[in-house]
């Protein structure tokens, strides 16, 4: 059942992006595969707009710490590029980044009590020199999918396709997790994520 | 069957399988979900009480009636409920009584100063601490058994990571709910009465005295003895070099970071198993104590004469925000180096949601330079520097008392205003309001009625119009209560009418005597109203004065590009509340109907 030993994923972004749901669907999918799991949602300060990190570990052996050690994450899956950089130190030397180009400026930067990073964050991410997939979700805003609300499921579709997961099994889990009212639009978003993955077979930085 | 449960959900499941009959509590991160989960079990009576003290008193009453009961709160809430705990401790217990308390470890907002183990020690009650969801469920069941066998309330200590981590838990699908009852005593008296009788009357002969007698100190000594054989206190002897005494999720970090170390894992952290501690101490060369929160275990272990390394190696705030496996490796494994997080990533301060009623009140206070206190509500975000609307921010429910104290003595002509949320008002703020009338104060109180306890995710309160045990005829209007306690000047206002809000607040501030302004608007996040339009910046009219950025709205962002700063409104987040169109002096923000 468990094809590989398991992975450590950091799933990150800002509040309201549906990171918890992403973890929930992927978690159930991997339980069905027979894996052990620990998923720890670490929510930063306060309300909407705060940073959210999910430490997601699955393995075919029992897992001890729910928190991933620095330098031990296989993948960073990020919904917001400032958060990609906030969590970059978790990545293994040969780890891989899947990041959205979406960016939400920090309130401290907005009111100028703190300086923003110098330069374009997408470029800074590339300069990390890791295997990186950059997903410009906004490019697809002319589709009938609400990109901002569905970013989590688009990323799930991308990741699932990247990992070669069985779509029907994943969609089955989605059906059991997501409110039936919204399931059709979610499946569309999932398909879009797959499409983006197919268009972008090769990582930006190798 | 194995189910993926958070620590919170596992606690609720454990209570259910223990045949619990009543659950009471007050919302508070990270353990709010325990109540949300237990209330889905229809056989169990559950309630959000008005505050933590009431919640614990309700559980105490139900326990006295013979039913297994528990109260749930965060440690900041146990501050409020501590009086109830102190007097339940040492009294006669019928149905198992458990207090589920969560320490919000790792929150840089300062919750780390609160460690519920101090309360457990002070009250001399047992404290259990699970390390994952499976243990959360198992320990909850055990807590009820200990409570009944040793006639004592039991604290189940959770911390943020235990509460919020999902892991697989064995759930007995064939379990059929059966309530468990235990009725040993017809009387249960507070501890001080018991000690008065037991120590004052040396030669008891009257049968009337018997009901007061409860040898609670003897019971705790017995439990301390038995703790050396308790399954949940596990001694795992391995390396003779390094030993660690640990508890809770810190155990899993230790196993990850120091897999060879000998470990004493404490499932029960009060009272301590002295024999086991001495055993590991004599087995290893160097003995550490690794724990989440303050150095409570360390001090207690040192008190029994065992030398351990703790605080000297693991200094707390501000050196360490939260314990991680990385910190353990760095401190104990020689020569290890770790990647460091980047220093140039900007910090995210908390923000109110776009369209939140608090933003409107911040705006009026700042525009008219009205000094104000705030307390624990979503409005406390307004005290952070990016909004900068308040002079004083203290504990939940405090704003009215603080403003009154200031106004009573200050010679300044300006009136200091209290701003309080509906949650805080019902929790303890209502006492401050009565005090204002009772002591003939002269203060203005702004009550933010957003129809729920918003900061913890929109739970019910007495004025919210919904809830676990809600009946429309029992809903209480905040304005009615204010009038009933003797506030003559009470106004209710929809904040989206900004001009009117401004007038009403200014009038209240200038008026003689006490006044209340109830700002009534449902929480955007909890009630999800449909927007009819959104705001956008007309870039060619924008002078980049950035006044709109100071509103504290999540949708308004400053973007820096090659041409310099640009102010943008995120159309996905904007609720179309129009506050920014009102604030912009150049008319550079327009509202577009959808």
């Amino acid at each position: 059942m468990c094809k590989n030993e398991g992975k450590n994923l950091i799933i990150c972004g800002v509040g309201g992006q549906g990171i918890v749901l992403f973890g929930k669907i992927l978690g159930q999918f991997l339980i069905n595969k027979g894996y052990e799991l620990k998923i720890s949602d670490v929510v930063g300060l306060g309300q909407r707009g705060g940073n959210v990190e999910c430490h997601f570990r699955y393995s075919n052996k029992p897992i001890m710490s729910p928190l991933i050690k620095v330098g031990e994450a296989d993948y960073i899956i990020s919904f917001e590029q400032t958060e990609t950089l906030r969590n970059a130190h978790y990545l293994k030397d040969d780890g891989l980044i899947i990041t959205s180009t979406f960016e939400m400026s920090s309130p401290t930067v907005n009111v100028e009590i703190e300086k923003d990073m110098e330069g374009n964050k997408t470029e800074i991410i590339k300069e990390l020199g890791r295997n990186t997939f950059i997903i410009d979700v906004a490019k697809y805003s002319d589709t009938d999918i609400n990109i901002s609300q569905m970013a989590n499921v688009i990323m799930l579709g991308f990741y699932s396709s990247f990992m070669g997961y069985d779509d029907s099994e994943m969609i089955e889990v989605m059906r059991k997790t997501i409110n039936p009212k919204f399931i059709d639009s979610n499946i569309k978003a999932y398909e879009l994520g797959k499409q983006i993955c197919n268009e972008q077979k090769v990582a930006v930085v190798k | 069957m194995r189910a993926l449960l958070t620590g919170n959900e596992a606690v609720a499941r454990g209570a259910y399988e223990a045949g619990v009959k009543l659950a009471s509590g007050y919302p508070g991160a990270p353990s709010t979900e325990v109540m949300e989960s237990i209330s889905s079990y229809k056989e169990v009576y559950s309630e959000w009480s008005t505050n933590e003290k009431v919640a614990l008193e309700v559980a105490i009453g139900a326990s006295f009636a013979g039913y297994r009961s528990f109260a749930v709160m965060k440690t900041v809430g146990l501050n409020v409920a501590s009086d109830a705990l102190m007097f339940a401790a040492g009294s006669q217990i019928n149905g198992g009584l458990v207090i589920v308390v969560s320490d919000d470890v790792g929150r840089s907002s300062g919750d780390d100063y609160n460690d519920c183990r101090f309360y457990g020690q002070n009250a001399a009650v047992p404290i259990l601490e699970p390390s994952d969801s499976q243990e959360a469920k198992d320990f909850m069941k055990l807590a009820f058994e200990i409570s009944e066998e040793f006639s004592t309330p039991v604290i189940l200590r959770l911390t943020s990571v235990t509460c919020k981590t999902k892991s697989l838990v064995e759930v007995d699908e064939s379990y059929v709910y059966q309530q468990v009852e235990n009725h040993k005593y017809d009387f249960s008296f507070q501890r001080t009465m018991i000690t008065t009788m037991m120590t004052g009357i040396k030669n008891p002969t009257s049968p009337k005295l018997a009901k007061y007698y409860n040898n609670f100190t003897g019971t705790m000594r017995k439990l301390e003895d038995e703790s050396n054989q308790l399954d949940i206190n596990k001694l795992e002897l391995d390396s003779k070099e390094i030993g660690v005494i640990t508890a809770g999720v810190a155990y899993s970090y230790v196993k990850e970071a120091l897999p060879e170390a000998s470990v004493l894992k404490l499932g029960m952290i009060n009272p301590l198993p002295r024999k086991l501690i001495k055993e590991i101490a004599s087995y290893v060369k160097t003995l550490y104590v690794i724990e989440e929160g303050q150095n409570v275990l360390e001090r207690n272990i040192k008190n029994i004469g065992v030398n351990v390394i703790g605080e000297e190696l693991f200094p707390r705030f501000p050196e360490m925000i939260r314990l991680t496996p990385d910190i353990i490796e760095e401190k104990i494994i020689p020569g290890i180096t770790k990647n460091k997080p980047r220093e140039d990533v900007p910090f995210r301060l908390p923000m109110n949601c776009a369209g939140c009623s608090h933003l409107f009140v911040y705006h009026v206070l700042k525009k008219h330079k009205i000094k104000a206190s705030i307390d624990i509500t979503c409005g406390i975000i307004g005290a952070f520097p990016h909004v900068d609307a308040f002079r004083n921010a203290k504990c939940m429910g405090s704003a009215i008392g603080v403003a009154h104290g200031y106004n009573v003595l200050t010679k300044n002509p300006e009136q200091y205003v209290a701003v309080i949320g509906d949650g805080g008002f019902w929790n303890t703020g209502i006492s401050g309001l009565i005090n204002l009338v009772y002591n003939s104060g002269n203060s203005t109180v702004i009550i933010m009625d957003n129809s729920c306890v918003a900061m913890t995710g929109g739970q019910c309160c007495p004025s919210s119009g919904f809830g676990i045990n809600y009946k429309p005829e029992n809903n209480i209007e905040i304005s009615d209560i204010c009038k009933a306690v003797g506030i003559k000047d009470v106004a209710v206002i929809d904040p989206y009418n900004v001009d009117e809000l401004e007038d009403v607040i200014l009038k209240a501030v200038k008026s003689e005597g006490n006044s209340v302004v109830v700002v009534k608007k449902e929480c955007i996040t909890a009630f999800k109203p449909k927007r009819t339009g959104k705001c956008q910046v007309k870039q060619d009219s924008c002078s980049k004065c950035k006044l709109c950025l100071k509103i504290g709205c999540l949708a308004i962002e400053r973007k820096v590009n090659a041409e310099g700063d640009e102010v943008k409104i995120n159309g996905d987040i904007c609720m179309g509340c129009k506050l920014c169109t009102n604030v912009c002096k150049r008319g550079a923000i327009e509202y577009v109907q959808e």
Side-chain angles (χ1 to χ4, degrees), chain A residues 81-102:
Chain A
Q81 54 183 8
T82 319
E83 297 313 311
T84 312
L85 291 161
R86 195 187 309 282
N87 289 289
H89 62 295
Y90 277 108
L91 206 58
K92 277 182 181 168
D93 289 341
D94 59 349
L96 183 142
I97 298 171
I98 300 172
T99 181
S100 166
T101 54
F102 174 75

PDB file of all heavy atoms in Angstrom, chain A residues 81-102:
ATOM      1  N   GLN A  81       3.994  33.968  -1.409  1.00  0.00           N
ATOM      2  CA  GLN A  81       5.442  33.850  -1.579  1.00  0.00           C
ATOM      3  C   GLN A  81       6.282  34.452  -0.445  1.00  0.00           C
ATOM      4  O   GLN A  81       7.421  34.040  -0.253  1.00  0.00           O
ATOM      5  CB  GLN A  81       5.881  34.353  -2.952  1.00  0.00           C
ATOM      6  CG  GLN A  81       5.459  35.742  -3.315  1.00  0.00           C
ATOM      7  CD  GLN A  81       5.915  36.083  -4.749  1.00  0.00           C
ATOM      8  OE1 GLN A  81       6.409  35.209  -5.457  1.00  0.00           O
ATOM      9  NE2 GLN A  81       5.754  37.327  -5.147  1.00  0.00           N
ATOM     10  N   THR A  82       5.719  35.376   0.316  1.00  0.00           N
ATOM     11  CA  THR A  82       6.463  35.829   1.504  1.00  0.00           C
ATOM     12  C   THR A  82       6.612  34.653   2.472  1.00  0.00           C
ATOM     13  O   THR A  82       7.646  34.466   3.118  1.00  0.00           O
ATOM     14  CB  THR A  82       5.710  36.964   2.230  1.00  0.00           C
ATOM     15  OG1 THR A  82       5.165  37.853   1.265  1.00  0.00           O
ATOM     16  CG2 THR A  82       6.602  37.718   3.179  1.00  0.00           C
ATOM     17  N   GLU A  83       5.553  33.847   2.548  1.00  0.00           N
ATOM     18  CA  GLU A  83       5.563  32.695   3.470  1.00  0.00           C
ATOM     19  C   GLU A  83       6.520  31.600   2.975  1.00  0.00           C
ATOM     20  O   GLU A  83       7.079  30.861   3.771  1.00  0.00           O
ATOM     21  CB  GLU A  83       4.147  32.156   3.669  1.00  0.00           C
ATOM     22  CG  GLU A  83       3.195  33.162   4.323  1.00  0.00           C
ATOM     23  CD  GLU A  83       3.795  33.840   5.540  1.00  0.00           C
ATOM     24  OE1 GLU A  83       4.333  33.134   6.408  1.00  0.00           O
ATOM     25  OE2 GLU A  83       3.744  35.090   5.620  1.00  0.00           O
ATOM     26  N   THR A  84       6.684  31.512   1.661  1.00  0.00           N
ATOM     27  CA  THR A  84       7.671  30.570   1.100  1.00  0.00           C
ATOM     28  C   THR A  84       9.037  30.899   1.702  1.00  0.00           C
ATOM     29  O   THR A  84       9.766  30.017   2.161  1.00  0.00           O
ATOM     30  CB  THR A  84       7.743  30.721  -0.434  1.00  0.00           C
ATOM     31  OG1 THR A  84       6.419  30.718  -0.950  1.00  0.00           O
ATOM     32  CG2 THR A  84       8.577  29.624  -1.058  1.00  0.00           C
ATOM     33  N   LEU A  85       9.346  32.202   1.704  1.00  0.00           N
ATOM     34  CA  LEU A  85      10.659  32.620   2.186  1.00  0.00           C
ATOM     35  C   LEU A  85      10.760  32.504   3.706  1.00  0.00           C
ATOM     36  O   LEU A  85      11.816  32.199   4.249  1.00  0.00           O
ATOM     37  CB  LEU A  85      10.932  34.053   1.730  1.00  0.00           C
ATOM     38  CG  LEU A  85      11.140  34.149   0.202  1.00  0.00           C
ATOM     39  CD1 LEU A  85      10.956  35.562  -0.298  1.00  0.00           C
ATOM     40  CD2 LEU A  85      12.515  33.599  -0.168  1.00  0.00           C
ATOM     41  N   ARG A  86       9.648  32.723   4.403  1.00  0.00           N
ATOM     42  CA  ARG A  86       9.665  32.594   5.864  1.00  0.00           C
ATOM     43  C   ARG A  86       9.998  31.160   6.287  1.00  0.00           C
ATOM     44  O   ARG A  86      10.593  30.922   7.329  1.00  0.00           O
ATOM     45  CB  ARG A  86       8.299  33.002   6.453  1.00  0.00           C
ATOM     46  CG  ARG A  86       8.320  33.243   7.958  1.00  0.00           C
ATOM     47  CD  ARG A  86       6.930  33.478   8.556  1.00  0.00           C
ATOM     48  NE  ARG A  86       6.161  34.483   7.862  1.00  0.00           N
ATOM     49  CZ  ARG A  86       6.345  35.803   8.006  1.00  0.00           C
ATOM     50  NH1 ARG A  86       7.254  36.266   8.824  1.00  0.00           N
ATOM     51  NH2 ARG A  86       5.617  36.660   7.327  1.00  0.00           N
ATOM     52  N   ASN A  87       9.585  30.217   5.435  1.00  0.00           N
ATOM     53  CA  ASN A  87       9.746  28.802   5.803  1.00  0.00           C
ATOM     54  C   ASN A  87      10.878  28.081   5.081  1.00  0.00           C
ATOM     55  O   ASN A  87      11.065  26.885   5.278  1.00  0.00           O
ATOM     56  CB  ASN A  87       8.427  28.061   5.563  1.00  0.00           C
ATOM     57  CG  ASN A  87       7.365  28.465   6.565  1.00  0.00           C
ATOM     58  OD1 ASN A  87       7.460  28.118   7.741  1.00  0.00           O
ATOM     59  ND2 ASN A  87       6.376  29.248   6.136  1.00  0.00           N
ATOM     60  N   ALA A  88      11.603  28.823   4.232  1.00  0.00           N
ATOM     61  CA  ALA A  88      12.603  28.177   3.368  1.00  0.00           C
ATOM     62  C   ALA A  88      13.652  27.386   4.155  1.00  0.00           C
ATOM     63  O   ALA A  88      14.169  26.373   3.670  1.00  0.00           O
ATOM     64  CB  ALA A  88      13.277  29.222   2.488  1.00  0.00           C
ATOM     65  N   HIS A  89      13.965  27.820   5.384  1.00  0.00           N
ATOM     66  CA  HIS A  89      15.014  27.129   6.155  1.00  0.00           C
ATOM     67  C   HIS A  89      14.608  25.722   6.590  1.00  0.00           C
ATOM     68  O   HIS A  89      15.430  24.957   7.059  1.00  0.00           O
ATOM     69  CB  HIS A  89      15.409  27.966   7.379  1.00  0.00           C
ATOM     70  CG  HIS A  89      14.295  28.182   8.351  1.00  0.00           C
ATOM     71  ND1 HIS A  89      13.171  28.906   8.052  1.00  0.00           N
ATOM     72  CD2 HIS A  89      14.132  27.772   9.629  1.00  0.00           C
ATOM     73  CE1 HIS A  89      12.358  28.924   9.108  1.00  0.00           C
ATOM     74  NE2 HIS A  89      12.913  28.246  10.069  1.00  0.00           N
ATOM     75  N   TYR A  90      13.332  25.403   6.447  1.00  0.00           N
ATOM     76  CA  TYR A  90      12.893  24.036   6.795  1.00  0.00           C
ATOM     77  C   TYR A  90      13.300  23.015   5.742  1.00  0.00           C
ATOM     78  O   TYR A  90      13.316  21.817   5.988  1.00  0.00           O
ATOM     79  CB  TYR A  90      11.364  23.988   6.947  1.00  0.00           C
ATOM     80  CG  TYR A  90      10.895  24.444   8.298  1.00  0.00           C
ATOM     81  CD1 TYR A  90      10.256  25.663   8.466  1.00  0.00           C
ATOM     82  CD2 TYR A  90      11.088  23.648   9.427  1.00  0.00           C
ATOM     83  CE1 TYR A  90       9.830  26.076   9.709  1.00  0.00           C
ATOM     84  CE2 TYR A  90      10.672  24.052  10.676  1.00  0.00           C
ATOM     85  CZ  TYR A  90      10.040  25.275  10.811  1.00  0.00           C
ATOM     86  OH  TYR A  90       9.618  25.676  12.044  1.00  0.00           O
ATOM     87  N   LEU A  91      13.609  23.517   4.522  1.00  0.00           N
ATOM     88  CA  LEU A  91      13.795  22.619   3.394  1.00  0.00           C
ATOM     89  C   LEU A  91      15.097  21.820   3.486  1.00  0.00           C
ATOM     90  O   LEU A  91      16.138  22.326   3.882  1.00  0.00           O
ATOM     91  CB  LEU A  91      13.797  23.465   2.108  1.00  0.00           C
ATOM     92  CG  LEU A  91      13.384  22.775   0.824  1.00  0.00           C
ATOM     93  CD1 LEU A  91      11.983  22.184   0.920  1.00  0.00           C
ATOM     94  CD2 LEU A  91      13.451  23.784  -0.333  1.00  0.00           C
ATOM     95  N   LYS A  92      15.024  20.550   3.079  1.00  0.00           N
ATOM     96  CA  LYS A  92      16.222  19.710   2.940  1.00  0.00           C
ATOM     97  C   LYS A  92      17.102  20.287   1.839  1.00  0.00           C
ATOM     98  O   LYS A  92      16.603  20.999   0.960  1.00  0.00           O
ATOM     99  CB  LYS A  92      15.807  18.297   2.477  1.00  0.00           C
ATOM    100  CG  LYS A  92      15.350  17.386   3.560  1.00  0.00           C
ATOM    101  CD  LYS A  92      15.018  16.022   2.937  1.00  0.00           C
ATOM    102  CE  LYS A  92      14.524  15.078   4.014  1.00  0.00           C
ATOM    103  NZ  LYS A  92      13.939  13.859   3.438  1.00  0.00           N
ATOM    104  N   ASP A  93      18.354  19.901   1.812  1.00  0.00           N
ATOM    105  CA  ASP A  93      19.251  20.388   0.766  1.00  0.00           C
ATOM    106  C   ASP A  93      18.714  20.051  -0.632  1.00  0.00           C
ATOM    107  O   ASP A  93      18.823  20.842  -1.556  1.00  0.00           O
ATOM    108  CB  ASP A  93      20.654  19.792   0.941  1.00  0.00           C
ATOM    109  CG  ASP A  93      21.348  20.400   2.163  1.00  0.00           C
ATOM    110  OD1 ASP A  93      20.899  21.484   2.602  1.00  0.00           O
ATOM    111  OD2 ASP A  93      22.313  19.788   2.673  1.00  0.00           O
ATOM    112  N   ASP A  94      18.153  18.855  -0.743  1.00  0.00           N
ATOM    113  CA  ASP A  94      17.620  18.472  -2.058  1.00  0.00           C
ATOM    114  C   ASP A  94      16.095  18.596  -2.087  1.00  0.00           C
ATOM    115  O   ASP A  94      15.421  17.972  -2.894  1.00  0.00           O
ATOM    116  CB  ASP A  94      18.057  17.041  -2.405  1.00  0.00           C
ATOM    117  CG  ASP A  94      17.565  16.030  -1.369  1.00  0.00           C
ATOM    118  OD1 ASP A  94      17.074  16.468  -0.289  1.00  0.00           O
ATOM    119  OD2 ASP A  94      17.654  14.815  -1.630  1.00  0.00           O
ATOM    120  N   GLY A  95      15.567  19.431  -1.194  1.00  0.00           N
ATOM    121  CA  GLY A  95      14.106  19.604  -1.112  1.00  0.00           C
ATOM    122  C   GLY A  95      13.564  20.423  -2.267  1.00  0.00           C
ATOM    123  O   GLY A  95      14.317  21.023  -3.032  1.00  0.00           O
ATOM    124  N   LEU A  96      12.260  20.447  -2.349  1.00  0.00           N
ATOM    125  CA  LEU A  96      11.606  21.038  -3.511  1.00  0.00           C
ATOM    126  C   LEU A  96      10.539  22.047  -3.067  1.00  0.00           C
ATOM    127  O   LEU A  96       9.870  21.845  -2.063  1.00  0.00           O
ATOM    128  CB  LEU A  96      10.982  19.879  -4.288  1.00  0.00           C
ATOM    129  CG  LEU A  96      10.270  20.107  -5.590  1.00  0.00           C
ATOM    130  CD1 LEU A  96      10.595  18.943  -6.518  1.00  0.00           C
ATOM    131  CD2 LEU A  96       8.785  20.189  -5.373  1.00  0.00           C
ATOM    132  N   ILE A  97      10.431  23.134  -3.832  1.00  0.00           N
ATOM    133  CA  ILE A  97       9.452  24.176  -3.498  1.00  0.00           C
ATOM    134  C   ILE A  97       8.366  24.218  -4.562  1.00  0.00           C
ATOM    135  O   ILE A  97       8.668  24.247  -5.754  1.00  0.00           O
ATOM    136  CB  ILE A  97      10.128  25.566  -3.424  1.00  0.00           C
ATOM    137  CG1 ILE A  97      11.190  25.604  -2.316  1.00  0.00           C
ATOM    138  CG2 ILE A  97       9.097  26.666  -3.208  1.00  0.00           C
ATOM    139  CD1 ILE A  97      12.044  26.871  -2.318  1.00  0.00           C
ATOM    140  N   ILE A  98       7.133  24.217  -4.097  1.00  0.00           N
ATOM    141  CA  ILE A  98       6.021  24.500  -5.004  1.00  0.00           C
ATOM    142  C   ILE A  98       5.359  25.753  -4.438  1.00  0.00           C
ATOM    143  O   ILE A  98       4.838  25.735  -3.332  1.00  0.00           O
ATOM    144  CB  ILE A  98       5.004  23.332  -5.045  1.00  0.00           C
ATOM    145  CG1 ILE A  98       5.680  22.042  -5.532  1.00  0.00           C
ATOM    146  CG2 ILE A  98       3.820  23.691  -5.921  1.00  0.00           C
ATOM    147  CD1 ILE A  98       4.797  20.809  -5.425  1.00  0.00           C
ATOM    148  N   THR A  99       5.449  26.853  -5.165  1.00  0.00           N
ATOM    149  CA  THR A  99       4.934  28.087  -4.575  1.00  0.00           C
ATOM    150  C   THR A  99       4.056  28.872  -5.532  1.00  0.00           C
ATOM    151  O   THR A  99       4.298  28.918  -6.738  1.00  0.00           O
ATOM    152  CB  THR A  99       6.085  28.993  -4.084  1.00  0.00           C
ATOM    153  OG1 THR A  99       5.531  30.178  -3.488  1.00  0.00           O
ATOM    154  CG2 THR A  99       7.020  29.418  -5.207  1.00  0.00           C
ATOM    155  N   SER A 100       3.034  29.474  -4.966  1.00  0.00           N
ATOM    156  CA  SER A 100       2.201  30.406  -5.720  1.00  0.00           C
ATOM    157  C   SER A 100       2.918  31.758  -5.757  1.00  0.00           C
ATOM    158  O   SER A 100       3.696  32.072  -4.860  1.00  0.00           O
ATOM    159  CB  SER A 100       0.850  30.543  -5.015  1.00  0.00           C
ATOM    160  OG  SER A 100       0.144  31.648  -5.517  1.00  0.00           O
ATOM    161  N   THR A 101       2.655  32.550  -6.783  1.00  0.00           N
ATOM    162  CA  THR A 101       3.234  33.891  -6.830  1.00  0.00           C
ATOM    163  C   THR A 101       2.352  34.894  -6.092  1.00  0.00           C
ATOM    164  O   THR A 101       2.662  36.075  -6.027  1.00  0.00           O
ATOM    165  CB  THR A 101       3.384  34.387  -8.280  1.00  0.00           C
ATOM    166  OG1 THR A 101       2.111  34.265  -8.904  1.00  0.00           O
ATOM    167  CG2 THR A 101       4.438  33.600  -9.027  1.00  0.00           C
ATOM    168  N   PHE A 102       1.233  34.411  -5.558  1.00  0.00           N
ATOM    169  CA  PHE A 102       0.350  35.325  -4.823  1.00  0.00           C
ATOM    170  C   PHE A 102       1.121  35.965  -3.667  1.00  0.00           C
ATOM    171  O   PHE A 102       1.957  35.335  -3.036  1.00  0.00           O
ATOM    172  CB  PHE A 102      -0.847  34.544  -4.270  1.00  0.00           C
ATOM    173  CG  PHE A 102      -1.741  35.367  -3.374  1.00  0.00           C
ATOM    174  CD1 PHE A 102      -2.609  36.308  -3.913  1.00  0.00           C
ATOM    175  CD2 PHE A 102      -1.684  35.220  -1.984  1.00  0.00           C
ATOM    176  CE1 PHE A 102      -3.410  37.077  -3.081  1.00  0.00           C
ATOM    177  CE2 PHE A 102      -2.477  35.984  -1.162  1.00  0.00           C
ATOM    178  CZ  PHE A 102      -3.348  36.908  -1.709  1.00  0.00           C
TER     179      PHE A 102
END
